[in-house]
Amino acid sequence: MRRTPSRRLLAAALLAASALIPTAAASAVTTATHTPAVHLMGADRDDCPAGPAGGLGRTTTARLDKAVADVRRQAGIPGVVVGLWMPGKGCYVRATGVADTVTHRPMTTDLYARIGSETKTFTVTALLRLVDEGRIRLDDPISRYVRGVPDGRHITLRQLAEMRSGLFPYTADPGFVHDLLSDTSRSFTPREVLAYGFKHDNTFAPGKQFEYSNTNLVLLGLVIEKVSGQRTADFIDRRVLRPARLGHTLFPDGPEVPDPHARGYTDQTLSGAVADATDWNPSWAWTAGAMISDLRDLRSWARTVATGTLLSPETQRQRLRMLPTGFPGLSYGLGIFESGGWIGHNGSIPGYETVTVYLPSQKATLVVILNTDITYGGQEPSSLVARAVTEIVTPDNVYDRPVPSNEQSLR
């Protein structure tokens, strides 16, 4: 959240916090550093024995502990979970800080969390399963499935998944921002959120450039619903989550987060003050960002989505056809990106941030889960953590997803 009205509207519109918050960040540091304990995942969880001896070695483990602690302290992050698995080398799984800044309950590795825009990887996988079945084609126009889309006859499903449609991001509409933040318990329908975006002219001709927009993924959710004849949440559950054996990943019907979970903190409020966003209704994000998961499932999903085990080889090849975004070091495919060789997606929604990526060259997996989306120095805290970790373990492949200069960062 920004203190000047126009910037505050933009930051809130992106709803994942491209927000510089001087006083709020300072306050968060106090609570975040209250509990210094480190909680390790035992040998019975995710194949990572407790203690440095069974991981990446004492020296590397100590460096990682310090790097994560430094970022958490500097950025004022209440709680952090980091999971790193490098076949043949070892692993590193840690939870540090607090899950609740009031009770000081410690962060642990078994917590559920909102995963924000990582939802896009599930939505696009569901869409691509329909492609593999021959029920849709990526170059079909969106107008074939959804009426009323501006220039819909010339915007393809592929362009929607690539973030190259030119459709205005509904989360950047000031009316949407006001309506959402005035009543965070409100339930929005997909058509309601799209209406905020469709009031605006398209920002460019289809396919001409990259612009991150949740409007694209909500439309793809409607396509899945129309073609499958099922609720999109049900289709994702049956055709993506179950085949991938993700028992702790869900598309919620309301604002509830399963137990156990951390409280989530944001400064995306009408006043700019820090608030507990744990129970905010995520319906506004729908197929662009409403899902929930945990460390174990995200570890598994990182490899599944990056290697395409649920898709045909040809469809996966098309998915990984990365195109330039205009931001150095970042390219985007079909609901998936590449940064420093790491393939996957990040997620940010008021109160939570995540990173789930896979490095094919080393078959390595990295998952980061935070219970805040409050930025530090203009950068997302999840990116700061992921960069700090990869600088140590994969110096030739550093995750460094830049924050776009126009503040429309990946959500």
Side-chain angles (χ1 to χ4, degrees):
M1 237 5 181
R2 298 296 189 277
R3 297 191 181 282
T4 56
S6 61
R7 300 188 89 184
R8 184 165 65 232
L9 282 175
L10 177 58
L14 296 175
L15 289 188
S18 291
L20 302 173
I21 53 141
T23 57
S27 173
V29 171
T30 303
T31 56
T33 57
H34 185 277
T35 304
V38 175
H39 299 269
L40 290 76
M41 181 175 282
D44 60 330
R45 300 296 305 277
D46 277 333
D47 305 315
C48 193
L56 296 167
R58 293 185 181 278
T59 300
T60 299
T61 297
R63 290 180 65 197
L64 288 170
D65 284 345
K66 182 179 185 304
V68 173
D70 287 348
V71 172
R72 188 171 68 83
R73 180 177 60 254
Q74 292 165 5
I77 303 168
V80 179
V81 175
V82 176
L84 172 71
W85 298 267
M86 304 184 72
K89 295 183 178 180
C91 55
Y92 175 87
V93 179
R94 290 286 193 275
T96 63
V98 296
D100 187 322
T101 61
V102 175
T103 66
H104 305 297
R105 172 169 54 92
M107 200 77 164
T108 57
T109 58
D110 61 346
L111 301 177
Y112 285 92
R114 299 194 189 279
I115 61 172
S117 283
E118 288 197 35
T119 301
K120 293 175 173 66
T121 62
F122 294 94
T123 300
V124 174
T125 300
L127 183 86
L128 294 178
R129 298 215 72 179
L130 291 172
V131 170
D132 275 342
E133 294 171 5
R135 300 171 72 179
I136 60 173
R137 296 179 302 175
L138 283 171
D139 294 318
D140 287 343
I142 185 60
S143 61
R144 181 172 297 177
Y145 305 99
V146 182
R147 293 181 179 178
V149 180
D151 201 24
R153 290 184 301 125
H154 300 108
I155 296 172
T156 66
L157 305 186
R158 185 191 303 275
Q159 289 165 341
L160 293 168
E162 291 173 339
M163 300 293 182
R164 305 178 82 85
S165 71
L167 291 168
F168 187 86
Y170 67 85
T171 51
D173 175 76
F176 169 77
V177 175
H178 178 271
D179 292 347
L180 173 63
L181 297 185
S182 295
D183 181 7
T184 57
S185 66
R186 174 177 170 176
S187 181
F188 289 87
T189 68
R191 290 285 186 174
E192 285 174 340
V193 297
L194 288 174
Y196 290 101
F198 290 172
K199 294 187 298 184
H200 300 266
D201 292 337
N202 291 3
T203 56
F204 53 82
K208 292 298 183 182
Q209 65 187 69
F210 173 91
E211 181 182 41
Y212 199 83
S213 173
N214 285 334
T215 301
N216 297 326
L217 268 292
V218 171
L219 283 169
L220 292 181
L222 290 177
V223 172
I224 294 168
E225 208 155 73
K226 182 177 181 62
V227 175
S228 70
Q230 304 173 35
R231 289 195 326 146
T232 299
D234 293 337
F235 186 82
I236 289 175
D237 179 61
R238 293 167 184 164
R239 302 305 307 280
V240 179
L241 303 183
R242 294 185 192 180
R245 299 182 180 181
L246 303 180
H248 292 88
T249 304
L250 64 145
F251 204 123
D253 289 325
E256 299 80 13
V257 182
D259 288 326
H261 63 266
R263 309 301 298 180
Y265 303 96
T266 189
D267 64 339
Q268 295 200 80
T269 58
L270 289 176
S271 67
V274 175
D276 185 330
T278 309
D279 300 317
W280 288 14
N281 193 324
S283 61
W284 62 270
W286 199 45
T287 47
M291 290 180 69
I292 293 168
S293 190
D294 70 358
L295 178 66
R296 174 175 284 187
D297 273 14
L298 292 179
R299 175 197 178 184
S300 176
W301 181 243
R303 181 181 176 89
T304 295
V305 72
T307 60
T309 56
L310 296 183
L311 304 174
S312 69
E314 172 57 21
T315 297
Q316 180 68 2
R317 185 190 68 78
Q318 293 191 58
R319 177 171 212 168
L320 296 184
R321 177 175 166 261
M322 301 291 180
L323 298 176
T325 62
F327 308 115
L330 181 70
S331 56
Y332 205 89
L334 300 177
I336 196 168
F337 66 60
E338 185 272 328
S339 174
W342 292 90
I343 296 173
H345 217 289
N346 69 320
S348 188
I349 194 168
Y352 300 89
E353 284 201 344
T354 56
V355 173
T356 297
V357 287
Y358 181 79
L359 184 61
S361 63
Q362 299 194 37
K363 298 182 179 179
T365 299
L366 173 65
V367 177
V368 175
I369 301 172
L370 313 181
N371 61 340
T372 185
D373 66 315
I374 299 173
T375 60
Y376 174 75
Q379 298 198 50
E380 295 169 330
S382 59
S383 292
L384 295 174
V385 174
R387 182 168 66 236
V389 169
T390 55
E391 283 176 341
I392 293 171
V393 296
T394 56
D396 294 329
N397 297 98
V398 176
Y399 177 96
D400 192 16
R401 195 184 64 73
V403 175
S405 60
N406 66 356
E407 298 186 73
Q408 292 206 33
S409 49
L410 299 185
R411 304 301 176 205

